[in-house]
Every structure is written in C-alpha cells, then in structure tokens.
Amino acid sequence: MKISYEIKIKFGDLLDAQTDYLINPSNTVMLLGSGVSMAFKRHCGETLEKYMQEQLKIKEIRQGDVVKTASNHASFPFVLHAAIMNYADRSESKKPSLATIAQILNNLQEIILQDQSKYIKIALPLMGCGAGRLDKHEVISEYKCFFKQNLDAEKECEVEIYGFSESDFRLLKEIMTKS
C-alpha cells in the first residue's frame, strides 16, 4: 500500500497541533530531556515518559527507531518518539546523521501504513537540528524528497512541518516550495 502526502508548513509551537500523531525527536533511552522533548514533558506530563519507559521494557530502542505511545493529551492521541540521539550504544555515534533521519521517516511511514484509517494527520519539527546539530537545509531537503513520493496512493497523510522560529519557517517555505 502507498501513501499520498500533503505537506503543510506551519509556524509556531508543534504542541499546538491537532493531529493523529505528533512526532517527538527523542533518544534511545526514552527520556524527555531537552528541546522539543522537554516541551513534550511540560505539555503532556510525567505520564508520557512512563509510557516511553514501558516501551524499553518490551525491546531495545536503537537510533533511527520510532516508538508509538499514547499522548495523555486531547489534541493528539498518539506520540511517535523518533530515536534521534543515541544514548544507549556507546560504540556508535551519539549524534544523528541524515541516514538516521531517512530511517526515521521510513519507520514513521510503516506506522502510518499499519493505522486502519484511510486519512492520517501527523505533525513534526525539524528533527536532529537541535542537540543533533544536523544542517537544517539538509534535513528539510530530506523531508521534501521523502514526502514528495507516492502521489497516487490508497492512503492519505497530511504532514504538518513546524518551524518554531520565524527563520526556520521561512527556510521551510523556501525549500519545500522550490521546484
């Protein structure tokens, strides 16, 4: 089955989104630390981190994995925790690469495909651009390449990509609308 993506660029706080799934750029130890993850902790409470820790009891989380939990919030019933930072395997790099982002996007897609709804709405920030120090231009280009695929499909997904700052929003608009 294929997914048709409709991309919308948004300015502001990701946690204000009304979606089926909100993407949390997290880490391999499933802790709500800094940046967007800290905002999730403030917005959803300690219960969200408990849900995340339950997932670690089920399986080891590796960089690039995506874990689904309930959100404990009415505006978005589920959170997809994308393991951006590697805090578990010391033999591997702590920081993400563009390949990590590509793997996360593929894993997000697998979760969307498993959802029974024909129409799904997700929202995500610029993953890996904070503590991960990835180049915003490169991450946005990766998003553009990934979400422009599968235009004729059986399932539809609206993707809201959030720029928290005005400069991020402008950069998103510039790259995503460029042909």
Short mmCIF file of all heavy atoms in Angstrom, two decimals, residues 42-99:
data_model
loop_
_atom_site.label_atom_id
_atom_site.label_comp_id
_atom_site.label_asym_id
_atom_site.label_seq_id
_atom_site.Cartn_x
_atom_site.Cartn_y
_atom_site.Cartn_z
N ARG A 42 6.62 19.02 29.49
CA ARG A 42 5.83 20.10 30.11
C ARG A 42 4.36 20.03 29.69
O ARG A 42 3.48 20.32 30.47
CB ARG A 42 6.42 21.45 29.73
CG ARG A 42 7.72 21.75 30.40
CD ARG A 42 8.19 23.17 30.11
NE ARG A 42 9.52 23.36 30.60
CZ ARG A 42 10.53 23.77 29.84
NH1 ARG A 42 10.35 24.04 28.56
NH2 ARG A 42 11.73 23.91 30.36
N HIS A 43 4.14 19.67 28.45
CA HIS A 43 2.79 19.68 27.87
C HIS A 43 1.98 18.44 28.24
O HIS A 43 0.78 18.53 28.47
CB HIS A 43 2.92 19.79 26.34
CG HIS A 43 1.77 20.43 25.66
ND1 HIS A 43 1.52 21.78 25.74
CD2 HIS A 43 0.81 19.91 24.88
CE1 HIS A 43 0.46 22.06 25.03
NE2 HIS A 43 -0.01 20.95 24.50
N CYS A 44 2.63 17.28 28.27
CA CYS A 44 1.92 16.01 28.47
C CYS A 44 2.12 15.41 29.85
O CYS A 44 1.45 14.45 30.22
CB CYS A 44 2.36 14.98 27.43
SG CYS A 44 2.04 15.49 25.74
N GLY A 45 3.08 15.92 30.59
CA GLY A 45 3.30 15.43 31.95
C GLY A 45 4.20 14.21 32.03
O GLY A 45 4.65 13.67 31.02
N GLU A 46 4.46 13.81 33.26
CA GLU A 46 5.34 12.68 33.55
C GLU A 46 4.81 11.36 32.99
O GLU A 46 5.57 10.44 32.72
CB GLU A 46 5.53 12.54 35.06
CG GLU A 46 6.14 13.75 35.74
CD GLU A 46 7.64 13.84 35.55
OE1 GLU A 46 8.28 12.79 35.40
OE2 GLU A 46 8.16 14.97 35.56
N THR A 47 3.50 11.29 32.80
CA THR A 47 2.89 10.05 32.30
C THR A 47 3.46 9.67 30.94
O THR A 47 3.67 8.48 30.67
CB THR A 47 1.36 10.19 32.21
OG1 THR A 47 0.89 10.59 33.49
CG2 THR A 47 0.70 8.91 31.79
N LEU A 48 3.73 10.65 30.09
CA LEU A 48 4.28 10.36 28.76
C LEU A 48 5.61 9.64 28.87
O LEU A 48 5.86 8.65 28.18
CB LEU A 48 4.41 11.64 27.93
CG LEU A 48 4.93 11.45 26.51
CD1 LEU A 48 3.98 10.57 25.69
CD2 LEU A 48 5.11 12.80 25.82
N GLU A 49 6.47 10.11 29.76
CA GLU A 49 7.77 9.45 29.92
C GLU A 49 7.60 8.03 30.47
O GLU A 49 8.34 7.12 30.09
CB GLU A 49 8.67 10.28 30.82
CG GLU A 49 10.13 9.86 30.75
CD GLU A 49 11.05 10.88 31.36
OE1 GLU A 49 11.07 10.98 32.61
OE2 GLU A 49 11.72 11.58 30.59
N LYS A 50 6.61 7.81 31.32
CA LYS A 50 6.33 6.46 31.82
C LYS A 50 5.92 5.55 30.66
O LYS A 50 6.36 4.40 30.58
CB LYS A 50 5.24 6.50 32.89
CG LYS A 50 5.71 7.08 34.18
CD LYS A 50 4.58 7.15 35.20
CE LYS A 50 5.06 7.89 36.44
NZ LYS A 50 3.97 8.24 37.33
N TYR A 51 5.08 6.06 29.74
CA TYR A 51 4.70 5.29 28.55
C TYR A 51 5.94 4.92 27.74
O TYR A 51 6.07 3.80 27.23
CB TYR A 51 3.75 6.07 27.64
CG TYR A 51 2.39 6.38 28.20
CD1 TYR A 51 1.67 7.47 27.71
CD2 TYR A 51 1.77 5.60 29.18
CE1 TYR A 51 0.40 7.78 28.18
CE2 TYR A 51 0.50 5.90 29.65
CZ TYR A 51 -0.18 6.99 29.15
OH TYR A 51 -1.43 7.29 29.61
N MET A 52 6.85 5.89 27.61
CA MET A 52 8.07 5.66 26.84
C MET A 52 8.93 4.58 27.51
O MET A 52 9.46 3.71 26.83
CB MET A 52 8.86 6.97 26.71
CG MET A 52 8.15 8.03 25.87
SD MET A 52 8.91 9.66 26.03
CE MET A 52 10.44 9.42 25.12
N GLN A 53 9.06 4.67 28.82
CA GLN A 53 9.87 3.70 29.55
C GLN A 53 9.30 2.29 29.45
O GLN A 53 10.05 1.30 29.41
CB GLN A 53 10.02 4.12 31.01
CG GLN A 53 10.90 5.35 31.20
CD GLN A 53 12.31 5.15 30.68
OE1 GLN A 53 13.00 4.23 31.08
NE2 GLN A 53 12.74 6.02 29.77
N GLU A 54 7.98 2.18 29.37
CA GLU A 54 7.34 0.87 29.17
C GLU A 54 7.78 0.24 27.86
O GLU A 54 7.95 -0.97 27.76
CB GLU A 54 5.81 1.00 29.21
CG GLU A 54 5.25 1.26 30.59
CD GLU A 54 5.52 0.13 31.56
OE1 GLU A 54 5.37 -1.05 31.18
OE2 GLU A 54 5.88 0.42 32.72
N GLN A 55 7.98 1.06 26.84
CA GLN A 55 8.43 0.55 25.54
C GLN A 55 9.83 -0.05 25.63
O GLN A 55 10.14 -1.02 24.94
CB GLN A 55 8.39 1.66 24.48
CG GLN A 55 7.00 2.13 24.13
CD GLN A 55 6.16 1.01 23.57
OE1 GLN A 55 6.57 0.30 22.66
NE2 GLN A 55 4.97 0.85 24.13
N LEU A 56 10.68 0.53 26.47
CA LEU A 56 12.03 -0.01 26.66
C LEU A 56 12.01 -1.38 27.31
O LEU A 56 12.91 -2.19 27.11
CB LEU A 56 12.87 0.94 27.53
CG LEU A 56 13.63 2.03 26.81
CD1 LEU A 56 14.37 2.90 27.80
CD2 LEU A 56 14.58 1.48 25.77
N LYS A 57 10.98 -1.66 28.09
CA LYS A 57 10.85 -2.98 28.71
C LYS A 57 10.47 -4.03 27.67
O LYS A 57 10.75 -5.21 27.84
CB LYS A 57 9.80 -2.94 29.82
CG LYS A 57 10.22 -2.10 31.00
CD LYS A 57 9.11 -2.02 32.02
CE LYS A 57 9.50 -1.08 33.15
NZ LYS A 57 8.39 -0.87 34.09
N ILE A 58 9.86 -3.59 26.58
CA ILE A 58 9.44 -4.50 25.51
C ILE A 58 10.60 -4.82 24.58
O ILE A 58 10.81 -5.97 24.19
CB ILE A 58 8.26 -3.90 24.71
CG1 ILE A 58 7.05 -3.72 25.64
CG2 ILE A 58 7.91 -4.74 23.49
CD1 ILE A 58 5.93 -2.89 25.05
N LYS A 59 11.37 -3.78 24.20
CA LYS A 59 12.50 -4.00 23.29
C LYS A 59 13.52 -2.88 23.41
O LYS A 59 13.20 -1.78 23.83
CB LYS A 59 12.03 -4.13 21.84
CG LYS A 59 11.55 -2.84 21.21
CD LYS A 59 11.28 -3.02 19.73
CE LYS A 59 11.12 -1.66 19.09
NZ LYS A 59 11.65 -1.55 17.79
N GLU A 60 14.73 -3.19 23.00
CA GLU A 60 15.79 -2.19 22.96
C GLU A 60 15.48 -1.19 21.85
O GLU A 60 15.06 -1.57 20.75
CB GLU A 60 17.14 -2.87 22.68
CG GLU A 60 18.28 -1.92 22.57
CD GLU A 60 19.59 -2.60 22.17
OE1 GLU A 60 19.56 -3.77 21.74
OE2 GLU A 60 20.63 -1.95 22.27
N ILE A 61 15.69 0.08 22.12
CA ILE A 61 15.45 1.13 21.13
C ILE A 61 16.80 1.55 20.57
O ILE A 61 17.72 1.88 21.32
CB ILE A 61 14.75 2.36 21.77
CG1 ILE A 61 13.50 1.94 22.56
CG2 ILE A 61 14.43 3.41 20.71
CD1 ILE A 61 12.42 1.28 21.77
N ARG A 62 16.90 1.52 19.24
CA ARG A 62 18.14 1.90 18.57
C ARG A 62 17.93 3.22 17.82
O ARG A 62 16.81 3.56 17.50
CB ARG A 62 18.58 0.80 17.61
CG ARG A 62 18.75 -0.55 18.36
CD ARG A 62 19.51 -1.61 17.64
NE ARG A 62 20.72 -1.22 16.98
CZ ARG A 62 21.93 -1.12 17.56
NH1 ARG A 62 22.05 -1.36 18.83
NH2 ARG A 62 22.98 -0.80 16.86
N GLN A 63 19.01 3.90 17.57
CA GLN A 63 18.94 5.15 16.82
C GLN A 63 18.26 4.90 15.48
O GLN A 63 18.60 3.95 14.77
CB GLN A 63 20.36 5.70 16.62
CG GLN A 63 20.39 7.14 16.17
CD GLN A 63 21.82 7.68 16.20
OE1 GLN A 63 22.76 6.97 15.85
NE2 GLN A 63 21.97 8.92 16.60
N GLY A 64 17.26 5.72 15.16
CA GLY A 64 16.50 5.56 13.92
C GLY A 64 15.17 4.86 14.13
O GLY A 64 14.30 4.91 13.26
N ASP A 65 14.99 4.21 15.28
CA ASP A 65 13.71 3.56 15.59
C ASP A 65 12.64 4.60 15.90
O ASP A 65 12.95 5.73 16.31
CB ASP A 65 13.84 2.63 16.80
CG ASP A 65 14.62 1.37 16.51
OD1 ASP A 65 14.91 1.08 15.33
OD2 ASP A 65 14.96 0.66 17.48
N VAL A 66 11.39 4.19 15.75
CA VAL A 66 10.24 5.03 16.10
C VAL A 66 9.32 4.20 16.98
O VAL A 66 8.98 3.07 16.64
CB VAL A 66 9.49 5.53 14.85
CG1 VAL A 66 8.26 6.34 15.24
CG2 VAL A 66 10.42 6.36 13.96
N VAL A 67 8.94 4.77 18.12
CA VAL A 67 8.11 4.08 19.10
C VAL A 67 6.81 4.86 19.28
O VAL A 67 6.84 6.07 19.47
CB VAL A 67 8.87 3.98 20.45
CG1 VAL A 67 7.99 3.37 21.51
CG2 VAL A 67 10.14 3.20 20.28
N LYS A 68 5.70 4.15 19.25
CA LYS A 68 4.38 4.76 19.40
C LYS A 68 3.90 4.61 20.84
O LYS A 68 3.98 3.52 21.41
CB LYS A 68 3.40 4.07 18.46
CG LYS A 68 1.96 4.54 18.58
CD LYS A 68 1.08 3.74 17.62
CE LYS A 68 -0.38 3.98 17.84
NZ LYS A 68 -1.21 3.17 16.94
N THR A 69 3.42 5.73 21.42
CA THR A 69 2.77 5.68 22.73
C THR A 69 1.51 6.54 22.69
O THR A 69 1.35 7.38 21.81
CB THR A 69 3.66 6.21 23.88
OG1 THR A 69 3.83 7.62 23.74
CG2 THR A 69 5.00 5.50 23.94
N ALA A 70 0.67 6.35 23.70
CA ALA A 70 -0.43 7.28 23.91
C ALA A 70 0.19 8.61 24.31
O ALA A 70 1.35 8.67 24.73
CB ALA A 70 -1.35 6.76 25.00
N SER A 71 -0.58 9.69 24.20
CA SER A 71 -0.01 11.00 24.48
C SER A 71 -0.40 11.59 25.82
O SER A 71 0.27 12.48 26.31
CB SER A 71 -0.44 12.00 23.40
OG SER A 71 -1.82 12.30 23.56
N ASN A 72 -1.52 11.18 26.36
CA ASN A 72 -2.06 11.79 27.57
C ASN A 72 -2.51 13.23 27.28
O ASN A 72 -2.45 14.09 28.15
CB ASN A 72 -1.01 11.76 28.70
CG ASN A 72 -1.61 11.98 30.06
OD1 ASN A 72 -2.73 11.59 30.32
ND2 ASN A 72 -0.84 12.60 30.94
N HIS A 73 -2.90 13.49 26.01
CA HIS A 73 -3.32 14.84 25.62
C HIS A 73 -4.44 14.75 24.59
O HIS A 73 -4.39 13.93 23.68
CB HIS A 73 -2.13 15.60 25.02
CG HIS A 73 -2.35 17.07 24.99
ND1 HIS A 73 -3.05 17.68 23.99
CD2 HIS A 73 -2.01 18.04 25.87
CE1 HIS A 73 -3.11 18.97 24.23
NE2 HIS A 73 -2.48 19.22 25.37
N ALA A 74 -5.44 15.60 24.70
CA ALA A 74 -6.63 15.54 23.84
C ALA A 74 -6.36 15.95 22.39
O ALA A 74 -7.00 15.44 21.48
CB ALA A 74 -7.74 16.40 24.42
N SER A 75 -5.44 16.86 22.15
CA SER A 75 -5.22 17.38 20.78
C SER A 75 -4.52 16.40 19.85
O SER A 75 -4.63 16.51 18.64
CB SER A 75 -4.39 18.67 20.83
OG SER A 75 -5.08 19.67 21.52
N PHE A 76 -3.78 15.47 20.42
CA PHE A 76 -3.07 14.47 19.63
C PHE A 76 -3.04 13.18 20.44
O PHE A 76 -2.37 13.09 21.45
CB PHE A 76 -1.66 14.93 19.24
CG PHE A 76 -0.87 15.54 20.36
CD1 PHE A 76 -0.02 14.76 21.15
CD2 PHE A 76 -0.96 16.89 20.64
CE1 PHE A 76 0.70 15.32 22.18
CE2 PHE A 76 -0.24 17.45 21.68
CZ PHE A 76 0.59 16.67 22.45
N PRO A 77 -3.81 12.17 20.03
CA PRO A 77 -3.93 10.95 20.84
C PRO A 77 -2.64 10.13 20.95
O PRO A 77 -2.45 9.43 21.94
CB PRO A 77 -5.02 10.15 20.14
CG PRO A 77 -5.23 10.77 18.82
CD PRO A 77 -4.69 12.16 18.87
N PHE A 78 -1.76 10.24 19.94
CA PHE A 78 -0.54 9.42 19.96
C PHE A 78 0.70 10.27 19.71
O PHE A 78 0.65 11.27 19.00
CB PHE A 78 -0.61 8.33 18.89
CG PHE A 78 -1.73 7.37 19.10
CD1 PHE A 78 -2.88 7.47 18.35
CD2 PHE A 78 -1.65 6.38 20.07
CE1 PHE A 78 -3.94 6.60 18.55
CE2 PHE A 78 -2.70 5.51 20.27
CZ PHE A 78 -3.86 5.61 19.51
N VAL A 79 1.81 9.80 20.28
CA VAL A 79 3.11 10.40 20.02
C VAL A 79 3.98 9.32 19.41
O VAL A 79 3.99 8.17 19.87
CB VAL A 79 3.77 10.94 21.32
CG1 VAL A 79 5.15 11.51 21.02
CG2 VAL A 79 2.90 11.98 21.99
N LEU A 80 4.70 9.69 18.35
CA LEU A 80 5.69 8.80 17.75
C LEU A 80 7.06 9.35 18.17
O LEU A 80 7.44 10.44 17.78
CB LEU A 80 5.54 8.78 16.23
CG LEU A 80 4.19 8.27 15.72
CD1 LEU A 80 4.14 8.33 14.20
CD2 LEU A 80 3.92 6.86 16.21
N HIS A 81 7.74 8.60 18.99
CA HIS A 81 9.03 9.00 19.53
C HIS A 81 10.13 8.52 18.59
O HIS A 81 10.35 7.31 18.46
CB HIS A 81 9.23 8.43 20.93
CG HIS A 81 8.10 8.76 21.86
ND1 HIS A 81 8.02 9.96 22.52
CD2 HIS A 81 7.00 8.05 22.21
CE1 HIS A 81 6.92 9.98 23.24
NE2 HIS A 81 6.28 8.83 23.07
N ALA A 82 10.77 9.45 17.93
CA ALA A 82 11.84 9.14 16.97
C ALA A 82 13.18 9.18 17.70
O ALA A 82 13.57 10.22 18.24
CB ALA A 82 11.81 10.16 15.84
N ALA A 83 13.87 8.05 17.73
CA ALA A 83 15.15 7.96 18.43
C ALA A 83 16.24 8.64 17.60
O ALA A 83 16.91 8.03 16.79
CB ALA A 83 15.50 6.50 18.71
N ILE A 84 16.37 9.94 17.83
CA ILE A 84 17.37 10.76 17.13
C ILE A 84 18.75 10.58 17.76
O ILE A 84 19.72 10.24 17.10
CB ILE A 84 16.98 12.26 17.18
CG1 ILE A 84 15.65 12.51 16.43
CG2 ILE A 84 18.09 13.15 16.67
CD1 ILE A 84 15.77 12.50 14.95
N MET A 85 18.82 10.83 19.06
CA MET A 85 20.09 10.78 19.77
C MET A 85 20.34 9.36 20.32
O MET A 85 19.42 8.73 20.82
CB MET A 85 20.10 11.78 20.93
CG MET A 85 19.89 13.23 20.49
SD MET A 85 21.17 13.85 19.38
CE MET A 85 22.53 14.02 20.52
N ASN A 86 21.57 8.91 20.21
CA ASN A 86 21.96 7.58 20.68
C ASN A 86 22.63 7.71 22.05
O ASN A 86 23.78 8.12 22.14
CB ASN A 86 22.91 6.92 19.69
CG ASN A 86 23.47 5.62 20.21
OD1 ASN A 86 22.84 4.95 21.02
ND2 ASN A 86 24.65 5.26 19.76
N TYR A 87 21.90 7.35 23.10
CA TYR A 87 22.47 7.38 24.44
C TYR A 87 22.68 5.98 25.00
O TYR A 87 23.16 5.82 26.12
CB TYR A 87 21.56 8.16 25.40
CG TYR A 87 21.42 9.62 25.07
CD1 TYR A 87 20.26 10.31 25.39
CD2 TYR A 87 22.43 10.33 24.43
CE1 TYR A 87 20.11 11.65 25.10
CE2 TYR A 87 22.29 11.68 24.13
CZ TYR A 87 21.14 12.33 24.48
OH TYR A 87 21.00 13.67 24.18
N ALA A 88 22.34 4.95 24.25
CA ALA A 88 22.40 3.58 24.77
C ALA A 88 23.64 2.82 24.31
O ALA A 88 24.27 2.13 25.11
CB ALA A 88 21.15 2.82 24.36
N ASP A 89 24.01 2.94 23.05
CA ASP A 89 25.11 2.16 22.48
C ASP A 89 26.36 3.04 22.36
O ASP A 89 26.49 3.81 21.41
CB ASP A 89 24.69 1.60 21.12
CG ASP A 89 25.73 0.67 20.52
OD1 ASP A 89 26.86 0.57 21.05
OD2 ASP A 89 25.42 0.03 19.49
N ARG A 90 27.26 2.91 23.28
CA ARG A 90 28.46 3.77 23.30
C ARG A 90 29.43 3.46 22.17
O ARG A 90 30.33 4.25 21.90
CB ARG A 90 29.15 3.67 24.65
CG ARG A 90 28.25 4.18 25.77
CD ARG A 90 29.07 4.53 27.00
NE ARG A 90 28.23 4.85 28.13
CZ ARG A 90 27.74 6.06 28.37
NH1 ARG A 90 27.98 7.04 27.55
NH2 ARG A 90 27.00 6.26 29.45
N SER A 91 29.25 2.34 21.48
CA SER A 91 30.14 2.02 20.37
C SER A 91 29.72 2.76 19.09
O SER A 91 30.46 2.80 18.13
CB SER A 91 30.15 0.51 20.11
OG SER A 91 28.90 0.08 19.61
N GLU A 92 28.54 3.35 19.11
CA GLU A 92 28.02 4.11 17.97
C GLU A 92 28.03 5.61 18.30
O GLU A 92 28.05 6.00 19.46
CB GLU A 92 26.58 3.67 17.66
CG GLU A 92 26.42 2.23 17.25
CD GLU A 92 26.96 1.93 15.86
OE1 GLU A 92 26.86 2.82 14.98
OE2 GLU A 92 27.48 0.83 15.66
N SER A 93 27.95 6.42 17.25
CA SER A 93 27.92 7.87 17.43
C SER A 93 26.66 8.29 18.20
O SER A 93 25.58 7.74 18.00
CB SER A 93 27.92 8.55 16.06
OG SER A 93 27.72 9.94 16.21
N LYS A 94 26.84 9.27 19.06
CA LYS A 94 25.72 9.83 19.83
C LYS A 94 24.83 10.68 18.93
O LYS A 94 23.61 10.69 19.06
CB LYS A 94 26.31 10.68 20.96
CG LYS A 94 25.33 11.35 21.86
CD LYS A 94 26.12 12.08 22.95
CE LYS A 94 25.23 12.97 23.76
NZ LYS A 94 25.97 13.66 24.81
N LYS A 95 25.44 11.39 18.00
CA LYS A 95 24.74 12.33 17.12
C LYS A 95 24.10 11.59 15.93
O LYS A 95 24.63 10.59 15.46
CB LYS A 95 25.71 13.37 16.57
CG LYS A 95 26.45 14.15 17.63
CD LYS A 95 25.65 15.28 18.14
CE LYS A 95 26.50 16.15 19.04
NZ LYS A 95 25.77 16.86 20.01
N PRO A 96 23.00 12.12 15.42
CA PRO A 96 22.36 11.53 14.25
C PRO A 96 23.06 11.94 12.96
O PRO A 96 23.86 12.87 12.94
CB PRO A 96 20.95 12.12 14.30
CG PRO A 96 21.16 13.48 14.89
CD PRO A 96 22.25 13.28 15.93
N SER A 97 22.72 11.24 11.91
CA SER A 97 23.18 11.59 10.56
C SER A 97 21.92 11.76 9.70
O SER A 97 20.81 11.48 10.15
CB SER A 97 24.05 10.47 9.99
OG SER A 97 23.26 9.30 9.82
N LEU A 98 22.10 12.17 8.47
CA LEU A 98 20.95 12.25 7.56
C LEU A 98 20.37 10.86 7.32
O LEU A 98 19.17 10.73 7.11
CB LEU A 98 21.34 12.90 6.24
CG LEU A 98 21.41 14.42 6.26
CD1 LEU A 98 21.86 14.96 4.91
CD2 LEU A 98 20.09 15.03 6.67
N ALA A 99 21.21 9.83 7.39
CA ALA A 99 20.71 8.46 7.25
C ALA A 99 19.77 8.12 8.41
O ALA A 99 18.79 7.39 8.23
CB ALA A 99 21.87 7.48 7.20
#
